[in-house]
Amino acid sequence: MTLILTRSQIAALLRTPDLTGTVVTDAVEEAFAALADGTDRLSPAHGIREGDDLFLPMLAASTRLGLAGGKVLADLPGNALTGLPRQRSAITLISTETGACAALLDGALPTRVRTAAASAVATRHLARPDTRVLGLVGAGALAVEHTVLIAAERPIEEVVVWSRSFDRVASFRAELSTRAPDLKVTHADGPRSVIDAADVVCTLTPSREPIVRGSWLRPGQHLNVVGAPPRPDCREVDGVAMSRSRIVVDAMSTATADSGDLVLALAEGAVTTGDCADLGSVICGLAEGRTSPDEITLFDSTGLGLLDLAIGRVLVDAARRHGIGHAMELGA
């Protein structure tokens, strides 16, 4: 039987006690480590371009999780003109034991949570322990999840947030007041003000051009560069930011193909691939992460199908425990 989980059902699962705390972050950390040691594997991503639209398969296999498959992501810039989300996706989970379709999930919330969890894992391994101020460049759907999961990794006291949209900042405040009411929230007047104030910075914008300049960065900061779509011509930080940082990517194979932040910095000669390490290698002790309190570290997050398997496993197991979802026989 195939378990089908809708967006509202996934939202209900994410509110259950067994998915609070660091459960998702720990699952994502395990996936990064399994990728580094060869236990789990990625399929090369080969997107299909139709004009300015991108359709990207993000696939992986993990006998550890008992799953293969992943996500197909549609990145459609024109959707903004009709009020639809720019990115939409669906996750298909296949049993590695039988080849049967184990589950079908709407991709919106799993993507949001696993993306924030990846940043939380990077923060766990790269940010200074004395981090107190979290900075957010962008206040959209990813902002609250990043705040909640990163605050579980470091003693965050204040969140400094900027967005071009005042309404988005207001919505961020309102949601965070229920999810993390003890955190002070400050509305910054621009990206530079966020960088000036924060110990850890998350860039969460679908930018094509750099929105953060390397000349602004301060010793000891950690950046999670997250928001740009997986396209080699889109970036949130400039080459100077990359060159000043210890760069850690989610996987070199995807970063060198789909991360504009890295691809463009490489093309400019600001960095080389030898300047980069995989996050899984850092977790496993196979590569260095932060080497000094004053070093600037930067996690370049492109997104991996393996993380969709990891969050899918967590959600499917929770759904079965709670009796949530629709079971169907697709072969009937």
Side-chain angles (χ1 to χ4, degrees):
M1 298 289 282
T2 300
L3 181 66
I4 298 176
L5 292 173
T6 66
R7 188 176 306 185
S8 60
Q9 290 168 338
I10 293 169
L13 286 169
L14 291 171
R15 292 193 294 269
T16 59
D18 39 343
L19 293 188
T20 58
T22 63
V23 172
V24 173
T25 303
D26 291 346
V28 167
E29 182 181 55
E30 290 169 6
F32 277 121
L35 181 62
D37 68 19
T39 302
D40 295 350
R41 295 193 294 167
L42 294 175
S43 172
H46 298 292
I48 298 171
R49 295 288 291 264
E50 294 285 351
D52 201 29
D53 295 340
L54 171 68
F55 300 91
L56 183 67
M58 305 172 68
L59 306 178
S62 171
T63 54
R64 175 183 61 90
L65 296 172
L67 296 172
K71 180 169 66 187
V72 176
L73 171 70
D75 182 52
L76 310 178
N79 271 5
L81 300 176
T82 58
L84 294 173
R86 170 173 173 155
Q87 293 188 351
R88 307 177 93 172
S89 60
I91 297 172
T92 303
L93 304 178
I94 304 297
S95 167
T96 55
E97 181 179 355
T98 67
C101 183
L104 295 173
L105 289 71
D106 179 79
L109 292 179
T111 298
R112 187 182 306 173
V113 172
R114 64 84 156 148
T115 301
S119 294
V121 172
T123 302
R124 177 183 290 179
H125 290 274
L126 298 171
R128 288 168 46 141
D130 58 351
T131 291
R132 293 292 187 275
V133 181
L134 174 64
L136 304 175
V137 180
L142 286 170
V144 171
E145 295 301 333
H146 270 75
T147 301
V148 171
L149 294 184
I150 288 174
E153 301 299 328
R154 291 294 185 269
I156 302 298
E157 298 170 353
E158 181 181 5
V159 181
V160 180
V161 58
W162 171 83
S163 170
R164 290 189 176 95
S165 168
F166 181 85
D167 289 342
R168 283 189 177 179
V169 175
S171 296
F172 169 80
R173 282 181 180 274
E175 187 171 353
L176 196 65
S177 68
T178 63
R179 304 265 316 263
D182 294 334
L183 291 179
K184 175 185 176 183
V185 177
T186 300
H187 186 176
D189 59 10
R192 176 67 184 268
S193 296
V194 174
I195 305 302
D196 287 345
D199 304 310
V200 169
V201 176
C202 301
T203 61
L204 307 170
T205 71
S207 182
R208 284 186 177 270
E209 301 295 333
I211 201 166
V212 169
R213 302 289 173 180
S215 60
W216 302 346
L217 303 182
R218 295 183 289 103
Q221 286 183 312
H222 170 67
L223 281 72
N224 295 307
V225 178
V226 178
R231 297 172 180 250
D233 58 348
C234 296
R235 69 199 308 193
E236 292 186 287
V237 302
D238 62 10
V240 175
M242 300 293 278
S243 68
R244 292 190 63 197
S245 302
R246 170 62 171 156
I247 303 168
V248 177
V249 300
D250 43 17
M252 285 297 297
S253 59
T254 56
T256 54
D258 296 324
S259 169
D261 293 286
L262 181 59
V263 169
L264 295 172
L266 289 170
E268 294 164 357
V271 299
T272 69
T273 55
D275 298 319
C276 308
D278 291 325
L279 181 54
S281 297
V282 173
I283 293 168
C284 293
L286 303 174
E288 288 187 323
R290 174 176 292 277
T291 60
S292 74
D294 289 338
E295 186 173 39
I296 299 169
T297 54
L298 185 151
F299 174 55
D300 182 15
S301 178
T302 310
L304 305 178
L306 180 58
L307 305 189
D308 296 306
L309 294 190
I311 183 65
R313 178 80 278 166
V314 169
L315 290 169
V316 167
D317 290 348
R320 287 174 175 155
R321 287 194 301 271
H322 292 280
I324 293 175
H326 305 289
M328 299 183 64
E329 180 54 67
L330 295 184

